[in-house]
Amino acid sequence: YQGLATPQSDVYALGATLHHLLTGLDPTERKPFDYPPVRDVVPAVSQRTSDAIARAVQFKVDDRYASIREFWDALIPGRTPQPGQVRVAPSTRRIEQ
């Protein structure tokens, strides 16, 4: 609403998107910053996920996660980042020796 692009605004946007995907509640049809706990709407969602999303969509910026990585760690604790894998297609060019 303030037009500021910060890591916390990205956290909020991702949290709002995840809330919408998991609950089906359209945030454009609700008053601003009205996000019921995900678990109250969909009991099958874990408490950890519900709590992480609730923190991500806090009205006060300082009450949100400081970064997407911090949000990710709250959603999936103890994960170890895996190196990216790239599949390389074999060359079609013949190399002469």
Side-chain angles (χ1 to χ4, degrees):
Y1 286 111
Q2 297 173 345
L4 302 174
T6 67
Q8 290 86 358
S9 60
D10 291 340
V11 167
Y12 179 86
L14 180 57
T17 300
L18 290 173
H19 190 280
H20 178 77
L21 288 170
L22 290 171
T23 66
L25 299 175
D26 186 345
T28 64
E29 296 174 353
R30 307 177 66 78
K31 67 181 186 176
F33 306 104
D34 178 28
Y35 293 93
V38 172
R39 193 169 167 89
D40 287 359
V41 180
V42 183
V45 172
S46 73
Q47 189 65 52
R48 180 183 67 234
T49 298
S50 183
D51 292 346
I53 292 171
R55 181 171 171 194
V57 296
Q58 288 297 303
F59 177 75
K60 289 179 58 180
V61 173
D62 292 339
D63 291 342
R64 297 179 201 154
Y65 296 103
S67 68
I68 291 291
R69 177 163 308 279
E70 191 177 331
F71 185 20
W72 180 256
D73 289 341
L75 288 167
I76 307 173
R79 70 166 176 78
T80 54
Q82 300 297 315
Q85 295 182 349
V86 177
R87 182 176 292 176
V88 178
S91 175
T92 57
R93 207 171 41 149
R94 185 177 181 150
I95 300 174
E96 309 244 350
Q97 295 182 353

